Amino acid sequence: GRPQAVPDGNLFIAGTSCKDFSMLKGTARKDIEDKGTSGETFLSAVEFLEQKQPPVAIFENVTGAPWIKMQEYLTGRLNLKDRNDTKNITGAGKAKSADDSVKFSIDENGRYVVEEVPRQVGMRAGSLVEGFVKGDSNPNNVRPLVSAKKGSKDLVTLKQLAKEHGINLNADILVMEKNARYC
């Protein structure tokens, strides 16, 4: 059909097409960003949640779906100890180290902006980093991240960001700015 406006509501329930994520496809399975029906539907649902912000969202799909990566997109939180796991992504092979391949620019306010993201990480390019949570802290205790290098043209790697701000790459959680927060 043709595009239709979605009314406001208190509950959002979605199930993307399972065919791209199904274990029955073996090595032909697709990941979220592979331009398959499953991934495109999921990313559209994430965009919808950001815009409409319903209080409750429920997702359904097959066991073989990349659930951990989907959770990263939805929550805006990257558990850094899992940054190099392939997270049930087919064709990922050996993951590129997120330490060097997640890259950020720094805007004129000193905010970190996600610019480059490896396949195993569920973050959207263009997202702003809100801060980080120490591994053993209350998950609501987000420590803000602001760089002194405001408006720098140089890209900063995750490893460099962690070193500058005392982030433990094996325990802490990186938090993206989100209009709506889901768990």
Side-chain angles (χ1 to χ4, degrees):
R2 61 178 187 229
Q4 296 290 319
V6 178
D8 292 335
N10 293 323
L11 174 65
F12 178 79
I13 300 174
T16 64
S17 168
C18 64
K19 69 178 187 167
D20 292 333
F21 296 152
S22 175
M23 298 300 273
L24 294 174
K25 289 194 90 165
T27 59
R29 287 186 301 148
K30 294 183 178 181
D31 189 27
I32 293 169
E33 297 87 0
D34 288 337
K35 304 299 182 200
T37 304
S38 302
E40 285 187 5
T41 304
F42 174 75
L43 291 173
S44 294
V46 171
E47 186 66 30
F48 175 85
L49 291 173
E50 281 292 306
Q51 291 175 7
K52 296 284 188 169
Q53 302 174 31
V56 178
I58 299 171
F59 279 87
E60 166 284 324
N61 211 300
V62 294
T63 304
W67 285 110
I68 295 171
K69 187 174 175 182
M70 293 166 97
Q71 212 171 5
E72 291 169 353
Y73 272 107
L74 291 167
T75 64
R77 289 175 178 245
L78 173 62
N79 193 331
L80 292 170
K81 71 178 170 47
D82 299 329
R83 70 194 179 280
N84 290 316
D85 291 351
T86 56
K87 302 171 186 157
N88 208 19
I89 302 166
T90 60
K94 184 169 177 3
K96 283 194 221 174
S97 170
D99 299 7
D100 297 315
S101 56
V102 173
K103 295 184 181 174
F104 308 89
S105 61
I106 302 169
D107 72 11
E108 63 280 351
N109 297 315
R111 305 283 312 273
Y112 290 96
V113 181
V114 178
E115 296 293 343
E116 297 178 20
V117 185
R119 187 172 174 87
Q120 75 271 16
V121 176
M123 289 191 308
R124 292 173 23 174
S127 297
L128 288 172
V129 176
E130 181 178 339
F132 72 102
V133 175
K134 282 295 196 187
D136 58 353
S137 295
N138 177 328
N140 295 318
N141 186 16
V142 179
R143 299 175 185 204
L145 283 182
V146 178
S147 175
K149 302 172 188 168
K150 297 178 178 175
S152 173
K153 299 292 181 206
D154 297 328
L155 292 182
V156 177
T157 66
L158 177 60
K159 185 190 314 181
Q160 292 167 323
L161 181 141
K163 184 177 179 182
E164 181 179 339
H165 295 282
I167 297 171
N168 182 339
L169 289 172
N170 295 312
D172 296 344
I173 298 168
L174 192 64
V175 181
M176 301 300 113
E177 191 172 277
K178 300 279 287 176
N179 291 330
R181 184 87 54 204
Y182 298 96
C183 57

